[in-house]
Amino acid sequence: MTFNINEDHNKLLLTNLRQKLVTVKLGGGEKRIEKLHAEGKMTARERIDYLLDKDAKKIEIGAFAGEGMYLEHGGCPSGGVVVKIGYIKGKQCIVVANDATVKAGAWFPITAKKNLRAQEIAMENRLPIIYLVDSAGVYLPLQDEIFPDAAHFGRIFRNNAIMSSMGITQIAAVMGSCVAGGAYLPIMSDEAMIVDKTGSIFLAGSYLVKAAIGESIDNETLGGATTHCEISGVTDYKAKDDKDALDRIKNIVGKIGDFDKAGFNREKTQKPVLDEKEIFGILPKSRTEQYDMYEIIKRLVDNSEFDEYKGDYGKTLITVYARIDGWAVGIVANQRKVVKTAKGEMQFGGAIYSDSADKATRFIANCNQKKIPLVFIQDVTGFMVGSKSEHGGIIKDGAKMVNAVSNSVVPKFTVIIGNSYGAGNYAMCGKAYDPRLIFAWPSAELAVMGGTQAAKVLAQIEASSLKAKGEVVDEIKEKELFNIIKARYDEQVSPYYAASRLWTDAIIDPLETRTWISMGIEAANHSPIEKKFNLGVIQV
């Protein structure tokens, strides 16, 4: 009975995810898509789909970027840019395409953040990166939030230069507008092409040129394909239309030589023996309910097999060696059921205790020594609190685990399937700890603490403040305060709130987890490990 209730709930969350994705993929809406088509142009998603190998696996980064943000400006679906990792002529690449249906492809603050995330992935994994440019430039009403800071618009061109020095292939196709500072992105790429009659590149358009220096000139003559391919030499190739440009990119990528490999171990893939779809019934409806994380792991790993490290010690963290799509991995996962120690003591599932933190530190070190990528499966309420934990040195042991995660040199991947609260998020390789990819299931929650606990604390503080002002706060008023605060907090713990701000790369169908991890490790295999694992100074 419980299995069926869980299954119905989790499948409903998945249906909601799919419905949201349908809306997101429309970008600025059907009318604007029709307008692009009338201009002889493809949409950003159509361009990417045409460019990537058909029937090959692909994953999308930041589909929900900007979700619920900038509503006073008309919104910014997917951050106004589409980013996917896939294959071109069999070579794994990352593709970045401006969505001209969203404010003519203008750059919002989240657009810059998403572009920087794409470049970060390319640099970490030494992946070829393709830019499909069609943008009106910075969205001027928000220019102060995108223009001057270290992680703003200018960082993108700095990254162009750094990637060039690293030998990472960058190819750009100007398929629409490319103006002002944005004009540097394609021209700082290794090779640039422009689509005739629809592509244009200039530091200032014809209206601004007229206002600035009094010159009258049309945009095509100023910075069209003929100008830049025959006169200025700014671009390398002229394409007759979108498909011609994309075909040329395919041909260029198809001739790229092989890469130095990190050498992660891989064998022939085997599907899990246990039915992956049973995950929906195992994962509880409530984030406070207990369940056995081993049952989730068995449905994610090859042949449903793993070798456990220190299985009888530190039981609130599971540490196992396994394979996912043939790749050897080390998995660190939160056990979500109450466990009993050898001393007969009970430990709460989801909490990290001193012994489990100590075990995880050793396991992470072992994976680094053996060159095995790490996978963190998060459903964590945080580190255990109370006098017994404090006297036992939980802060010291937690610090050791955080140290190991921070200094790990093998690629890390983080899957948030349930709670991701407080310092538990940090120790289990949250976004601040540089996972190569971090993604969530629709059941995930990210916050300093759970909504109920946080609302109780905040409601008590608010009630005390009102009482200090002489106001009467009875039981009804306290309940009203609690409900208001809890509703606000629940919105912020939603996985969509996190995904909109790129705290995670995606919200995915749990059944896509193996694909995400496999493609992530394949990408990481492009980048040999150059650093040695060193914990630095720790208290023992």
Side-chain angles (χ1 to χ4, degrees), residues 466-517:
L466 292 173
K467 288 175 182 177
K469 295 176 182 177
E471 296 186 31
V472 176
V473 181
D474 55 16
E475 188 176 329
I476 295 175
K477 181 65 174 178
E478 286 182 348
K479 188 174 182 179
E480 181 184 333
L481 285 172
F482 171 81
N483 289 335
I484 292 171
I485 294 171
K486 175 121 182 359
R488 185 173 69 239
Y489 202 88
D490 284 346
E491 179 187 352
Q492 294 179 358
V493 305
S494 160
Y496 295 97
Y497 191 90
S500 71
R501 288 151 180 80
L502 289 173
W503 301 343
T504 60
D505 291 317
I507 305 170
I508 70 164
D509 179 343
L511 302 185
E512 295 174 352
T513 303
R514 284 169 52 85
T515 295
W516 272 74
I517 293 171

CSV table of all heavy atoms in Angstrom, one decimal, residues 466-517:
chain,number,residue,atom,x,y,z
A,466,LEU,N,6.9,41.1,17.9
A,466,LEU,CA,5.6,41.7,18.0
A,466,LEU,C,5.2,41.9,19.5
A,466,LEU,O,4.6,43.0,19.8
A,466,LEU,CB,4.5,40.9,17.3
A,466,LEU,CG,4.6,40.8,15.8
A,466,LEU,CD1,3.6,39.8,15.2
A,466,LEU,CD2,4.4,42.2,15.1
A,467,LYS,N,5.5,40.9,20.3
A,467,LYS,CA,5.2,41.1,21.7
A,467,LYS,C,6.0,42.2,22.4
A,467,LYS,O,5.5,42.9,23.2
A,467,LYS,CB,5.5,39.7,22.4
A,467,LYS,CG,4.5,38.6,22.1
A,467,LYS,CD,4.9,37.3,22.8
A,467,LYS,CE,3.9,36.2,22.4
A,467,LYS,NZ,4.3,34.9,23.0
A,468,ALA,N,7.2,42.3,21.9
A,468,ALA,CA,8.1,43.4,22.4
A,468,ALA,C,7.6,44.8,22.1
A,468,ALA,O,7.8,45.7,22.8
A,468,ALA,CB,9.5,43.2,21.9
A,469,LYS,N,6.8,44.8,21.0
A,469,LYS,CA,6.2,46.1,20.6
A,469,LYS,C,4.8,46.3,21.3
A,469,LYS,O,4.1,47.3,21.0
A,469,LYS,CB,6.0,46.1,19.1
A,469,LYS,CG,7.3,46.1,18.3
A,469,LYS,CD,7.0,46.0,16.8
A,469,LYS,CE,8.3,45.9,16.0
A,469,LYS,NZ,8.1,45.8,14.6
A,470,GLY,N,4.5,45.4,22.1
A,470,GLY,CA,3.2,45.5,22.9
A,470,GLY,C,2.0,44.9,22.2
A,470,GLY,O,0.9,45.1,22.7
A,471,GLU,N,2.2,44.2,21.1
A,471,GLU,CA,1.1,43.6,20.4
A,471,GLU,C,0.7,42.3,21.0
A,471,GLU,O,1.5,41.6,21.6
A,471,GLU,CB,1.4,43.4,18.9
A,471,GLU,CG,1.6,44.7,18.1
A,471,GLU,CD,1.8,44.4,16.7
A,471,GLU,OE1,1.2,43.5,16.2
A,471,GLU,OE2,2.6,45.2,16.0
A,472,VAL,N,-0.6,41.9,20.9
A,472,VAL,CA,-1.1,40.7,21.5
A,472,VAL,C,-0.9,39.6,20.4
A,472,VAL,O,-1.4,39.7,19.3
A,472,VAL,CB,-2.6,40.8,21.9
A,472,VAL,CG1,-3.1,39.4,22.4
A,472,VAL,CG2,-2.8,41.9,22.9
A,473,VAL,N,-0.2,38.5,20.8
A,473,VAL,CA,0.1,37.4,19.9
A,473,VAL,C,-0.5,36.2,20.6
A,473,VAL,O,0.1,35.6,21.5
A,473,VAL,CB,1.6,37.2,19.6
A,473,VAL,CG1,1.8,36.1,18.7
A,473,VAL,CG2,2.1,38.5,19.1
A,474,ASP,N,-1.7,35.8,20.2
A,474,ASP,CA,-2.3,34.6,20.7
A,474,ASP,C,-2.0,33.3,19.9
A,474,ASP,O,-1.3,33.4,18.9
A,474,ASP,CB,-3.8,34.7,20.9
A,474,ASP,CG,-4.5,35.1,19.6
A,474,ASP,OD1,-3.9,35.0,18.5
A,474,ASP,OD2,-5.7,35.6,19.6
A,475,GLU,N,-2.6,32.2,20.2
A,475,GLU,CA,-2.3,31.0,19.5
A,475,GLU,C,-2.7,31.1,18.0
A,475,GLU,O,-2.1,30.6,17.1
A,475,GLU,CB,-3.1,29.8,20.1
A,475,GLU,CG,-2.7,28.5,19.6
A,475,GLU,CD,-3.4,27.3,20.3
A,475,GLU,OE1,-3.7,27.5,21.5
A,475,GLU,OE2,-3.7,26.3,19.7
A,476,ILE,N,-3.8,31.8,17.7
A,476,ILE,CA,-4.3,31.9,16.3
A,476,ILE,C,-3.3,32.8,15.5
A,476,ILE,O,-3.0,32.4,14.4
A,476,ILE,CB,-5.7,32.6,16.3
A,476,ILE,CG1,-6.8,31.6,17.0
A,476,ILE,CG2,-6.1,32.9,14.9
A,476,ILE,CD1,-8.1,32.2,17.1
A,477,LYS,N,-2.8,33.8,16.2
A,477,LYS,CA,-1.9,34.7,15.5
A,477,LYS,C,-0.6,34.0,15.2
A,477,LYS,O,0.0,34.1,14.1
A,477,LYS,CB,-1.6,35.9,16.4
A,477,LYS,CG,-0.6,36.9,15.7
A,477,LYS,CD,-1.1,37.6,14.5
A,477,LYS,CE,-0.2,38.7,14.0
A,477,LYS,NZ,-0.7,39.3,12.7
A,478,GLU,N,-0.1,33.2,16.2
A,478,GLU,CA,1.1,32.4,16.0
A,478,GLU,C,1.0,31.4,14.9
A,478,GLU,O,1.9,31.2,14.1
A,478,GLU,CB,1.4,31.6,17.3
A,478,GLU,CG,2.0,32.6,18.4
A,478,GLU,CD,2.4,31.8,19.7
A,478,GLU,OE1,2.0,30.6,19.7
A,478,GLU,OE2,3.1,32.3,20.5
A,479,LYS,N,-0.2,30.8,14.8
A,479,LYS,CA,-0.4,29.8,13.7
A,479,LYS,C,-0.5,30.5,12.3
A,479,LYS,O,0.1,30.0,11.3
A,479,LYS,CB,-1.8,29.1,13.9
A,479,LYS,CG,-2.0,27.9,12.9
A,479,LYS,CD,-3.2,27.1,13.3
A,479,LYS,CE,-3.4,26.0,12.3
A,479,LYS,NZ,-4.6,25.2,12.6
A,480,GLU,N,-1.0,31.7,12.3
A,480,GLU,CA,-1.1,32.5,11.1
A,480,GLU,C,0.3,32.9,10.6
A,480,GLU,O,0.6,32.8,9.4
A,480,GLU,CB,-1.9,33.8,11.3
A,480,GLU,CG,-2.1,34.7,10.1
A,480,GLU,CD,-2.8,35.9,10.4
A,480,GLU,OE1,-3.6,36.0,11.3
A,480,GLU,OE2,-2.6,36.9,9.7
A,481,LEU,N,1.1,33.3,11.6
A,481,LEU,CA,2.5,33.7,11.3
A,481,LEU,C,3.3,32.5,10.7
A,481,LEU,O,4.0,32.6,9.7
A,481,LEU,CB,3.2,34.2,12.5
A,481,LEU,CG,2.9,35.6,13.0
A,481,LEU,CD1,3.5,35.9,14.3
A,481,LEU,CD2,3.4,36.6,12.0
A,482,PHE,N,3.1,31.3,11.4
A,482,PHE,CA,3.7,30.1,10.9
A,482,PHE,C,3.3,29.7,9.5
A,482,PHE,O,4.2,29.4,8.7
A,482,PHE,CB,3.4,28.9,11.9
A,482,PHE,CG,3.8,27.6,11.4
A,482,PHE,CD1,5.1,27.2,11.6
A,482,PHE,CD2,3.0,26.7,10.7
A,482,PHE,CE1,5.6,25.9,11.1
A,482,PHE,CE2,3.4,25.5,10.3
A,482,PHE,CZ,4.7,25.1,10.5
A,483,ASN,N,2.1,29.8,9.2
A,483,ASN,CA,1.6,29.4,7.8
A,483,ASN,C,2.1,30.3,6.8
A,483,ASN,O,2.5,29.9,5.7
A,483,ASN,CB,0.1,29.4,7.8
A,483,ASN,CG,-0.5,28.2,8.6
A,483,ASN,OD1,0.1,27.2,8.8
A,483,ASN,ND2,-1.8,28.4,9.1
A,484,ILE,N,2.2,31.6,7.1
A,484,ILE,CA,2.7,32.6,6.1
A,484,ILE,C,4.2,32.3,5.8
A,484,ILE,O,4.6,32.3,4.7
A,484,ILE,CB,2.5,34.0,6.6
A,484,ILE,CG1,1.0,34.4,6.6
A,484,ILE,CG2,3.3,35.0,5.7
A,484,ILE,CD1,0.7,35.7,7.3
A,485,ILE,N,4.9,32.1,6.9
A,485,ILE,CA,6.4,31.9,6.7
A,485,ILE,C,6.7,30.6,6.1
A,485,ILE,O,7.5,30.5,5.2
A,485,ILE,CB,7.1,32.0,8.1
A,485,ILE,CG1,7.0,33.4,8.6
A,485,ILE,CG2,8.5,31.6,8.0
A,485,ILE,CD1,7.4,33.6,10.1
A,486,LYS,N,5.9,29.5,6.5
A,486,LYS,CA,6.1,28.2,5.9
A,486,LYS,C,5.9,28.2,4.4
A,486,LYS,O,6.6,27.6,3.6
A,486,LYS,CB,5.2,27.2,6.5
A,486,LYS,CG,5.3,25.8,5.9
A,486,LYS,CD,5.7,24.8,6.9
A,486,LYS,CE,5.9,23.4,6.4
A,486,LYS,NZ,5.6,23.0,5.0
A,487,ALA,N,4.8,28.9,3.9
A,487,ALA,CA,4.5,29.0,2.5
A,487,ALA,C,5.6,29.6,1.7
A,487,ALA,O,6.0,29.1,0.6
A,487,ALA,CB,3.2,29.7,2.3
A,488,ARG,N,6.2,30.7,2.3
A,488,ARG,CA,7.3,31.4,1.6
A,488,ARG,C,8.5,30.5,1.6
A,488,ARG,O,9.2,30.4,0.6
A,488,ARG,CB,7.6,32.7,2.4
A,488,ARG,CG,8.7,33.5,1.7
A,488,ARG,CD,8.8,34.9,2.3
A,488,ARG,NE,9.4,34.8,3.7
A,488,ARG,CZ,8.8,35.2,4.8
A,488,ARG,NH1,7.6,35.8,4.7
A,488,ARG,NH2,9.3,35.1,5.9
A,489,TYR,N,8.8,29.8,2.7
A,489,TYR,CA,10.0,29.0,2.8
A,489,TYR,C,9.9,27.7,1.9
A,489,TYR,O,10.8,27.3,1.2
A,489,TYR,CB,10.2,28.5,4.2
A,489,TYR,CG,11.6,28.1,4.6
A,489,TYR,CD1,12.5,29.0,5.0
A,489,TYR,CD2,12.0,26.8,4.4
A,489,TYR,CE1,13.8,28.6,5.3
A,489,TYR,CE2,13.3,26.4,4.7
A,489,TYR,CZ,14.2,27.3,5.2
A,489,TYR,OH,15.5,27.0,5.5
A,490,ASP,N,8.7,27.2,1.8
A,490,ASP,CA,8.4,26.0,0.9
A,490,ASP,C,8.7,26.3,-0.5
A,490,ASP,O,9.2,25.5,-1.3
A,490,ASP,CB,7.0,25.5,1.1
A,490,ASP,CG,6.8,24.7,2.4
A,490,ASP,OD1,7.8,24.3,3.0
A,490,ASP,OD2,5.6,24.4,2.7
A,491,GLU,N,8.4,27.5,-0.9
A,491,GLU,CA,8.7,28.0,-2.3
A,491,GLU,C,10.2,28.0,-2.6
A,491,GLU,O,10.7,27.5,-3.6
A,491,GLU,CB,8.1,29.3,-2.6
A,491,GLU,CG,8.4,29.9,-4.0
A,491,GLU,CD,8.0,31.3,-4.2
A,491,GLU,OE1,7.3,31.9,-3.3
A,491,GLU,OE2,8.3,31.9,-5.2
A,492,GLN,N,10.9,28.4,-1.5
A,492,GLN,CA,12.4,28.5,-1.7
A,492,GLN,C,13.1,27.1,-1.6
A,492,GLN,O,14.2,27.0,-2.1
A,492,GLN,CB,13.0,29.4,-0.7
A,492,GLN,CG,12.5,30.9,-0.9
A,492,GLN,CD,13.0,31.8,0.2
A,492,GLN,OE1,13.7,31.4,1.1
A,492,GLN,NE2,12.7,33.1,0.1
A,493,VAL,N,12.5,26.1,-1.0
A,493,VAL,CA,13.2,24.8,-0.9
A,493,VAL,C,12.9,24.0,-2.1
A,493,VAL,O,13.4,22.9,-2.3
A,493,VAL,CB,12.8,24.0,0.4
A,493,VAL,CG1,13.0,24.8,1.6
A,493,VAL,CG2,11.3,23.6,0.3
A,494,SER,N,12.0,24.4,-3.0
A,494,SER,CA,11.6,23.7,-4.2
A,494,SER,C,12.8,23.5,-5.1
A,494,SER,O,13.6,24.3,-5.3
A,494,SER,CB,10.5,24.5,-5.0
A,494,SER,OG,10.4,24.0,-6.3
A,495,PRO,N,12.9,22.3,-5.8
A,495,PRO,CA,14.0,22.1,-6.7
A,495,PRO,C,14.0,23.1,-7.9
A,495,PRO,O,15.0,23.3,-8.5
A,495,PRO,CB,13.8,20.6,-7.2
A,495,PRO,CG,12.3,20.3,-6.9
A,495,PRO,CD,12.0,21.1,-5.7
A,496,TYR,N,12.8,23.6,-8.2
A,496,TYR,CA,12.7,24.5,-9.3
A,496,TYR,C,13.3,25.9,-8.9
A,496,TYR,O,13.8,26.6,-9.8
A,496,TYR,CB,11.2,24.7,-9.7
A,496,TYR,CG,10.7,23.4,-10.3
A,496,TYR,CD1,9.9,22.5,-9.5
A,496,TYR,CD2,10.9,23.0,-11.6
A,496,TYR,CE1,9.4,21.3,-10.0
A,496,TYR,CE2,10.5,21.9,-12.2
A,496,TYR,CZ,9.7,21.0,-11.4
A,496,TYR,OH,9.3,19.8,-11.9
A,497,TYR,N,13.2,26.3,-7.6
A,497,TYR,CA,13.8,27.5,-7.2
A,497,TYR,C,15.3,27.4,-7.3
A,497,TYR,O,16.0,28.3,-7.8
A,497,TYR,CB,13.4,27.7,-5.7
A,497,TYR,CG,13.7,29.1,-5.1
A,497,TYR,CD1,12.8,30.2,-5.2
A,497,TYR,CD2,14.9,29.3,-4.5
A,497,TYR,CE1,13.2,31.4,-4.7
A,497,TYR,CE2,15.3,30.6,-4.0
A,497,TYR,CZ,14.4,31.6,-4.1
A,497,TYR,OH,14.7,32.9,-3.6
A,498,ALA,N,15.8,26.2,-6.9
A,498,ALA,CA,17.3,26.0,-7.0
A,498,ALA,C,17.7,26.0,-8.5
A,498,ALA,O,18.7,26.6,-8.9
A,498,ALA,CB,17.7,24.7,-6.3
A,499,ALA,N,16.9,25.3,-9.3
A,499,ALA,CA,17.3,25.2,-10.7
A,499,ALA,C,17.2,26.5,-11.5
A,499,ALA,O,18.0,26.8,-12.4
A,499,ALA,CB,16.4,24.1,-11.4
A,500,SER,N,16.3,27.3,-11.1
A,500,SER,CA,16.1,28.6,-11.7
A,500,SER,C,17.4,29.5,-11.5
A,500,SER,O,17.7,30.3,-12.4
A,500,SER,CB,14.9,29.3,-11.2
A,500,SER,OG,15.0,29.8,-9.9
A,501,ARG,N,18.0,29.3,-10.4
A,501,ARG,CA,19.2,30.1,-10.1
A,501,ARG,C,20.5,29.4,-10.4
A,501,ARG,O,21.6,29.8,-10.0
A,501,ARG,CB,19.1,30.5,-8.6
A,501,ARG,CG,18.1,31.5,-8.3
A,501,ARG,CD,17.4,31.5,-7.0
A,501,ARG,NE,16.4,32.5,-6.8
A,501,ARG,CZ,15.2,32.4,-7.3
A,501,ARG,NH1,14.8,31.3,-7.9
A,501,ARG,NH2,14.3,33.4,-7.2
A,502,LEU,N,20.4,28.2,-11.0
A,502,LEU,CA,21.6,27.4,-11.4
A,502,LEU,C,22.3,26.9,-10.2
A,502,LEU,O,23.6,26.7,-10.3
A,502,LEU,CB,22.5,28.1,-12.4
A,502,LEU,CG,21.9,28.3,-13.8
A,502,LEU,CD1,22.8,29.2,-14.6
A,502,LEU,CD2,21.7,27.0,-14.5
A,503,TRP,N,21.7,26.7,-9.1
A,503,TRP,CA,22.3,26.0,-8.0
A,503,TRP,C,22.4,24.5,-8.3
A,503,TRP,O,23.3,23.8,-7.8
A,503,TRP,CB,21.5,26.2,-6.7
A,503,TRP,CG,21.3,27.6,-6.3
A,503,TRP,CD1,22.0,28.7,-6.7
A,503,TRP,CD2,20.3,28.1,-5.3
A,503,TRP,NE1,21.6,29.8,-6.1
A,503,TRP,CE2,20.5,29.5,-5.2
A,503,TRP,CE3,19.3,27.5,-4.6
A,503,TRP,CZ2,19.8,30.3,-4.4
A,503,TRP,CZ3,18.6,28.3,-3.8
A,503,TRP,CH2,18.8,29.7,-3.7
A,504,THR,N,21.6,24.1,-9.2
A,504,THR,CA,21.7,22.7,-9.8
A,504,THR,C,21.7,22.9,-11.4
A,504,THR,O,21.2,23.9,-11.9
A,504,THR,CB,20.6,21.8,-9.4
A,504,THR,OG1,19.3,22.3,-9.8
A,504,THR,CG2,20.6,21.6,-7.9
A,505,ASP,N,22.2,21.9,-12.1
A,505,ASP,CA,22.3,22.0,-13.5
A,505,ASP,C,20.9,21.5,-14.1
A,505,ASP,O,20.7,21.9,-15.3
A,505,ASP,CB,23.4,21.1,-14.0
A,505,ASP,CG,24.8,21.6,-13.7
A,505,ASP,OD1,25.0,22.8,-13.9
A,505,ASP,OD2,25.6,20.8,-13.3
A,506,ALA,N,20.2,20.8,-13.4
A,506,ALA,CA,18.9,20.3,-14.0
A,506,ALA,C,18.0,19.6,-13.0
A,506,ALA,O,18.5,19.2,-11.9
A,506,ALA,CB,19.2,19.3,-15.2
A,507,ILE,N,16.8,19.4,-13.3
A,507,ILE,CA,15.9,18.5,-12.6
A,507,ILE,C,15.5,17.4,-13.6
A,507,ILE,O,15.1,17.7,-14.8
A,507,ILE,CB,14.6,19.2,-12.2
A,507,ILE,CG1,14.9,20.5,-11.3
A,507,ILE,CG2,13.7,18.3,-11.4
A,507,ILE,CD1,13.7,21.4,-11.1
A,508,ILE,N,15.7,16.2,-13.2
A,508,ILE,CA,15.6,15.1,-14.2
A,508,ILE,C,14.7,14.0,-13.8
A,508,ILE,O,14.4,13.9,-12.6
A,508,ILE,CB,17.0,14.5,-14.5
A,508,ILE,CG1,17.5,13.7,-13.3
A,508,ILE,CG2,18.0,15.6,-14.9
A,508,ILE,CD1,18.7,12.8,-13.6
A,509,ASP,N,14.2,13.3,-14.7
A,509,ASP,CA,13.5,12.0,-14.5
A,509,ASP,C,14.5,11.1,-13.8
A,509,ASP,O,15.6,10.9,-14.3
A,509,ASP,CB,13.1,11.4,-15.8
A,509,ASP,CG,12.4,10.1,-15.7
A,509,ASP,OD1,12.5,9.4,-14.6
A,509,ASP,OD2,11.7,9.7,-16.7
A,510,PRO,N,14.2,10.5,-12.6
A,510,PRO,CA,15.1,9.6,-11.9
A,510,PRO,C,15.7,8.5,-12.9
A,510,PRO,O,16.8,8.0,-12.7
A,510,PRO,CB,14.3,9.0,-10.8
A,510,PRO,CG,13.3,10.1,-10.5
A,510,PRO,CD,13.0,10.7,-11.8
A,511,LEU,N,14.9,8.1,-13.9
A,511,LEU,CA,15.4,7.0,-14.8
A,511,LEU,C,16.4,7.5,-15.7
A,511,LEU,O,17.0,6.7,-16.5
A,511,LEU,CB,14.2,6.5,-15.5
A,511,LEU,CG,13.0,5.9,-14.7
A,511,LEU,CD1,12.0,5.2,-15.6
A,511,LEU,CD2,13.6,4.9,-13.7
A,512,GLU,N,16.7,8.8,-15.7
A,512,GLU,CA,17.8,9.4,-16.6
A,512,GLU,C,19.1,9.5,-15.8
A,512,GLU,O,20.1,10.0,-16.3
A,512,GLU,CB,17.4,10.7,-17.1
A,512,GLU,CG,16.2,10.7,-18.1
A,512,GLU,CD,15.7,12.1,-18.5
A,512,GLU,OE1,16.3,13.1,-17.9
A,512,GLU,OE2,14.9,12.2,-19.4
A,513,THR,N,19.1,9.1,-14.5
A,513,THR,CA,20.3,9.3,-13.7
A,513,THR,C,21.5,8.6,-14.2
A,513,THR,O,22.6,9.2,-14.2
A,513,THR,CB,20.0,8.8,-12.2
A,513,THR,OG1,18.9,9.5,-11.7
A,513,THR,CG2,21.2,9.1,-11.3
A,514,ARG,N,21.4,7.4,-14.7
A,514,ARG,CA,22.6,6.7,-15.2
A,514,ARG,C,23.1,7.4,-16.4
A,514,ARG,O,24.4,7.5,-16.6
A,514,ARG,CB,22.1,5.2,-15.6
A,514,ARG,CG,22.0,4.3,-14.3
A,514,ARG,CD,21.3,3.0,-14.6
A,514,ARG,NE,21.9,2.3,-15.7
A,514,ARG,CZ,23.0,1.5,-15.7
A,514,ARG,NH1,23.6,1.3,-14.5
A,514,ARG,NH2,23.4,0.8,-16.7
A,515,THR,N,22.3,7.9,-17.3
A,515,THR,CA,22.8,8.6,-18.5
A,515,THR,C,23.6,9.9,-18.1
A,515,THR,O,24.6,10.1,-18.6
A,515,THR,CB,21.6,9.0,-19.4
A,515,THR,OG1,20.9,7.8,-19.9
A,515,THR,CG2,22.0,9.9,-20.5
A,516,TRP,N,23.0,10.6,-17.1
A,516,TRP,CA,23.7,11.9,-16.7
A,516,TRP,C,25.1,11.5,-16.1
A,516,TRP,O,26.1,12.2,-16.5
A,516,TRP,CB,22.9,12.6,-15.7
A,516,TRP,CG,21.9,13.6,-16.3
A,516,TRP,CD1,20.8,13.3,-17.0
A,516,TRP,CD2,22.1,15.0,-16.4
A,516,TRP,NE1,20.2,14.4,-17.5
A,516,TRP,CE2,20.9,15.5,-17.1
A,516,TRP,CE3,23.0,15.9,-15.9
A,516,TRP,CZ2,20.7,16.8,-17.4
A,516,TRP,CZ3,22.8,17.3,-16.2
A,516,TRP,CH2,21.7,17.7,-16.9
A,517,ILE,N,25.2,10.5,-15.3
A,517,ILE,CA,26.5,10.2,-14.7
A,517,ILE,C,27.4,9.6,-15.7
A,517,ILE,O,28.6,10.0,-15.8
A,517,ILE,CB,26.3,9.2,-13.5
A,517,ILE,CG1,25.5,9.8,-12.4
A,517,ILE,CG2,27.6,8.7,-13.0
A,517,ILE,CD1,25.1,8.9,-11.3
